[in-house]
Amino acid sequence: MKLNKLKEFHDEVQFIAKISSYQNTFTKSEKKVSDFVQANMESTIYMTVTELAERIGVGETTVLRFCRKMGFKGYQSFKMAVTKEVAKSTPDVFDETKKEGFNETDEMHSIVQKALANNVQALKETASIIDTNELEKAIHYIISSKRIVFYGVGVSGNTAADARDKFIRIGRSTEAFIDSHMQAMSATTLTEEDLAVGISVSGSTKDTVDALKIAKENGAKILSITHFTRSPITKISDVVLLTGGRETALQGGSMSAKIAQLFVIDMLCNGVAGQLKDKALQFKEATAKAVADKAY
């Protein structure tokens, strides 16, 4: 046990020492990044590259140069390292399962309640930050667009597929692409009559953002669903719908973040169905009948 604690201490000191060892190689702007990160590691893990750059008062390229100079491939891999250090150095004092006398029944109850609390919180956060004007605009785009394409990777890719399936049920012809090559190819075929929807918790998913940039260059409207107001995806969007349920670099695939995304998709689908009224109802009935004999 002592050896493990010694290793954790060594790793943490090694990480901080690594940043310090590069001080003489940093430019004036990069030193600002270094100083801020060392003083604010816990808040850094929740920031996008855009937010961090704006908070410090430097450009995004400065942050990226800082990360690469330290040997990281990019900002996300750097943030992953910071997250690991925070996780090791900050004990979870709120973890009820670590209290003395805690039995297995209590532990299982705690797991259930914690999962429930996280998901309910994500829904409440989403409901509180959703901009109804942006929501109305997004619904209008979905109804008026000739073609609707959803982009996402990982868990957000699953949400994109869920969105496609949900809109098909009310008669809106939609597509979903989770492969980066297919995203790029489909984006080149979009026009000013179409809508591209990018789904990304971080707002910094390169494949999704790149596809949206191509779509925008071809005249398509851009709708983004993300947690971060200040992120690469929002810069190129015509409409932004924010979600709750943030996640750190070690929580990729957070269920609460996905539930928040699905909550927004549900709002959009209900809004579109409300506008289409009888037409949407007819499609719901037709699609339900189409699969009625698929169940016992």
Side-chain angles (χ1 to χ4, degrees):
M1 184 65 117
K2 288 182 179 179
L3 288 174
N4 288 336
K5 288 185 177 179
L6 182 61
K7 184 180 183 302
E8 287 180 5
F9 174 74
H10 176 263
D11 289 344
E12 181 178 354
V13 171
Q14 193 175 43
F15 180 79
I16 295 173
K18 183 177 181 179
I19 298 179
S20 299
S21 70
Y22 281 86
Q23 284 297 109
N24 292 336
T25 69
F26 291 147
T27 64
K28 187 177 180 180
S29 295
E30 289 167 353
K31 284 181 180 177
K32 288 183 179 180
V33 179
S34 174
D35 292 342
F36 180 88
V37 170
Q38 290 184 74
N40 303 276
M41 291 180 72
E42 289 188 38
S43 58
T44 297
I45 65 177
Y46 291 109
M47 292 184 181
T48 63
V49 63
T50 304
E51 289 178 320
L52 182 63
E54 290 183 353
R55 180 76 174 273
I56 299 170
V58 298
E60 289 180 25
T61 53
T62 298
V63 176
L64 294 174
R65 279 200 311 270
F66 163 79
C67 296
R68 290 178 184 134
K69 189 170 285 187
M70 287 188 58
F72 295 99
K73 290 182 179 180
Y75 179 67
Q76 292 303 317
S77 58
F78 169 73
K79 195 165 71 167
M80 175 75 77
V82 176
T83 304
K84 287 180 180 179
E85 293 310 312
V86 172
K88 285 189 293 186
S89 62
T90 308
D92 190 2
V93 296
F94 300 105
D95 190 346
E96 294 292 329
T97 64
K98 293 181 181 179
K99 287 187 176 181
E100 188 176 350
F102 217 80
N103 59 44
E104 288 186 13
T105 302
D106 293 331
E107 184 176 343
M108 291 303 104
H109 179 73
S110 176
I111 289 171
V112 172
Q113 293 305 310
K114 190 171 183 179
L116 175 63
N118 287 341
N119 293 329
V120 169
Q121 181 63 25
L123 292 172
K124 286 182 177 180
E125 285 178 5
T126 304
S128 67
I129 62 178
I130 201 78
D131 185 325
T132 53
N133 290 325
E134 289 288 278
L135 181 62
E136 184 177 9
K137 193 175 178 182
I139 291 169
H140 169 71
Y141 281 156
I142 291 171
I143 292 174
S144 61
S145 294
K146 183 176 180 180
R147 187 176 167 204
I148 304 156
V149 181
F150 291 93
Y151 296 130
V153 300
V155 168
S156 294
N158 294 334
T159 302
D162 288 337
R164 173 200 61 204
D165 297 346
K166 198 167 182 63
F167 278 101
I168 285 175
R169 289 177 179 274
I170 60 171
R172 298 303 296 148
S173 180
T174 57
E175 302 166 86
F177 295 97
I178 60 175
D179 177 82
S180 61
H181 290 195
M182 293 305 299
Q183 286 179 343
M185 286 190 286
S186 70
T188 61
T189 67
L190 298 180
T191 71
E192 63 278 359
E193 295 182 292
D194 305 321
L195 173 68
V197 185
I199 306 173
S200 169
V201 176
S202 68
S204 304
T205 308
K206 192 175 185 302
D207 290 341
T208 300
V209 173
D210 287 348
L212 293 179
K213 286 180 179 177
I214 296 171
K216 192 173 185 68
E217 288 172 1
N218 283 279
K221 293 290 189 298
I222 308 298
L223 162 61
S224 64
I225 299 173
T226 182
H227 176 71
F228 293 96
T229 307
R230 306 299 300 161
S231 58
I233 202 171
T234 63
K235 290 182 177 180
I236 57 174
S237 300
D238 298 294
V239 187
V240 176
L241 296 177
L242 298 177
T243 63
R246 68 180 182 178
E247 61 184 20
T248 68
L250 294 179
Q251 294 175 313
S254 163
M255 184 57 68
S256 60
K258 178 176 173 58
I259 286 174
Q261 291 177 341
L262 291 174
F263 184 29
V264 171
I265 296 299
D266 205 30
M267 291 183 212
L268 289 170
C269 196
N270 288 337
V272 171
Q275 293 284 332
L276 297 178
K277 296 179 181 178
D278 292 343
K279 191 174 182 181
L281 182 58
Q282 288 173 6
F283 278 110
K284 278 185 178 182
E285 291 174 350
T287 54
K289 286 179 181 178
V291 296
D293 62 346
K294 303 297 182 182
Y296 289 104

